[in-house]
Amino acid sequence: MTEVLAVGKPDQMSREALAGLGWTACATLDEARALPEDTRKGVKAIAFFGHSPFGGEAMDAFPALGLIANFGVGYDAIDVGAASPRNIKVTNTPDVLNDDVADLAVAMLLDFCRDTRGAEAHVRSGAWGEQGAYPLQRKVSGAKTGILGLGRIGREIADRLAAFKMEMHYHSRSEKETPGWTYHADPVALAREVDFLIVALVGGPETAGYVTREVLEALGPDGILINISRGTTVDEAALLDLLEQKKIGGAGLDVFLNEPKIDPRFRTLDNAVLQPHQASATRETRTAMGQLQRDNIAAFLKGEALLTPVN
Ligand code: NAP
């Protein structure tokens, strides 16, 4: 009897860990919903990988389902509002990925400002020897940075950038205890104040388009936007327009709408660093995320308290 389904496309670390567990694996929810009724009836928990929408209708295909254990802290793909009235618990994998996601935010900022990729190409092509020094780039340390969403990951990013001697500003729904960082109740005021704006909000309908055209315009032609949250949090059409028109200085983006088939306009930009939604993608962190996901499932099957419940 199949008690646990793994749905989605686990990465290498989880594939190796899942191999010995005897769980049934389905690449998509549609594939899972097409399993024979007898199999679906026995499913108590789903280990969910990826960002495809998981709504109430799909939940109803598994009448004994009691847990959706998400691989990732961001569970915006799962309709928690549909899960709760069905007595389905949802878990995620917070904290274990904070360091990696914060590291990538800083890496994109450094990469954009110092153009390490272009400078490396200058060395490899032999241009350094033939044409001389690479053009001057932009200083990172000591700038003014704004964090939009001072949650777990936002805080890790802020701590790192404070160590770069930056003046720290932030916007959250309420003021937090900080070592003297400046709070802005209004995201537009935050963007107007800073050189770099880093988005670390949750995704989902409540934060959709939170970074409006007005926020981006306030950031201005020298301002740089870094987004490691979700593509939904930014008005992407406005971002593309303003990047193309050089009305904002640049962007470092790990997340997009319609991943992985992102808007092709991004690919032609010379003022953006683009990453394939890989902020947590180290062997160490993916191992820890998978372990936490499996620990939640094990606790659920034993009737014990969940480690990281969402609802
Ligand atoms: P968190 O601790 O819950 O922080 C989330 C932040 O979002 C908080 O600052 C919170 O504001 C804000 N927020 C939540 N609901 C909001 C609303 N309705 N309106 C305005 N602001 C709202 O989450 P986290 O662990 O830092 O993770 C943040 C997000 O990062 C995840 O949800 C995920 O989408 C993304 N992420 C991306 C990657 C990647 O690979 N790129 C990896 C991991 C996570 P308050 O401060 O006011 O509470």
Side-chain angles (χ1 to χ4, degrees):
M1 167 112 94
T2 298
E3 282 197 324
V4 185
L5 278 186
V7 176
K9 298 197 175 85
D11 63 23
Q12 174 206 339
M13 307 312 294
S14 284
R15 276 201 310 275
E16 287 169 13
L18 295 181
L21 293 177
W23 294 354
T24 299
C26 297
T28 63
L29 264 176
D30 284 345
E31 198 181 296
R33 290 170 72 179
L35 289 168
E37 191 182 356
D38 275 359
T39 307
R40 285 188 284 109
K41 271 184 174 166
V43 172
K44 293 182 177 165
I46 290 182
F48 191 59
F49 298 86
H51 304 281
S52 310
F54 194 159
E57 212 181 306
M59 294 172 197
D60 289 338
F62 307 96
L65 184 63
L67 175 69
I68 301 170
N70 189 50
F71 183 83
V73 65
Y75 52 86
D76 43 303
I78 301 168
D79 187 345
V80 178
S84 297
R86 289 170 168 81
N87 281 327
I88 298 172
K89 292 285 181 195
V90 177
T91 57
N92 64 346
T93 62
D95 290 317
V96 294
L97 40 60
N98 294 354
D99 282 336
D100 275 359
V101 181
D103 289 352
L104 193 80
V106 175
M108 288 194 291
L109 184 61
L110 285 167
D111 192 8
F112 184 83
C113 290
R114 301 300 302 268
D115 192 17
T116 50
R117 292 157 308 140
E120 206 225 2
H122 189 69
V123 177
R124 284 189 189 274
S125 68
W128 186 21
E130 286 155 23
Q131 296 159 21
Y134 196 64
L136 300 182
Q137 301 299 318
R138 177 166 173 179
K139 181 168 176 166
V140 174
S141 287
K144 276 194 205 179
T145 290
I147 309 287
L148 198 53
L150 199 70
R152 289 174 292 243
I153 292 171
R155 184 76 193 212
E156 287 291 341
I157 297 168
D159 284 340
R160 280 160 176 71
L161 295 181
F164 280 71
K165 302 173 199 162
M166 293 200 192
E167 184 182 306
M168 298 306 303
H169 297 249
Y170 71 99
H171 163 79
S172 268
R173 288 169 297 179
S174 57
E175 198 165 350
K176 318 260 178 195
E177 218 170 282
T178 67
W181 302 341
T182 306
Y183 175 69
H184 298 259
D186 173 12
V188 175
L190 172 71
R192 195 173 295 124
E193 183 68 34
V194 298
D195 305 301
F196 310 139
L197 182 65
I198 305 195
V199 188
L201 296 165
V202 298
E206 287 179 2
T207 56
Y210 208 88
V211 180
T212 56
R213 182 178 286 269
E214 200 186 353
V215 170
L216 295 168
E217 282 171 351
L219 193 54
D222 291 325
I224 294 165
L225 180 87
I226 302 290
N227 188 10
I228 51 76
S229 63
R230 286 286 184 265
T232 52
T233 60
V234 177
D235 178 344
E236 195 170 88
L239 176 65
L240 278 162
D241 286 349
L242 296 171
L243 283 168
E244 284 171 354
Q245 296 158 18
K246 313 282 187 215
K247 288 187 177 159
I248 73 166
L253 306 169
D254 184 47
V255 285
F256 305 84
L257 295 179
N258 306 317
E259 296 171 7
K261 299 203 165 139
I262 64 170
D263 193 316
R265 287 164 71 194
F266 279 113
R267 300 206 298 261
T268 61
L269 293 170
D270 61 4
N271 51 356
V273 170
L274 309 176
Q275 294 288 299
H277 197 153
Q278 61 125 349
S280 68
T282 65
R283 287 182 292 278
E284 294 84 351
T285 290
R286 289 296 173 84
T287 300
M289 289 165 64
Q291 189 62 56
L292 184 49
Q293 181 190 39
R294 292 190 297 282
D295 287 349
N296 271 305
I297 292 172
F300 173 77
L301 293 177
K302 281 191 256 171
E304 293 173 0
L306 299 170
L307 285 80
T308 49
V310 165
N311 60 346

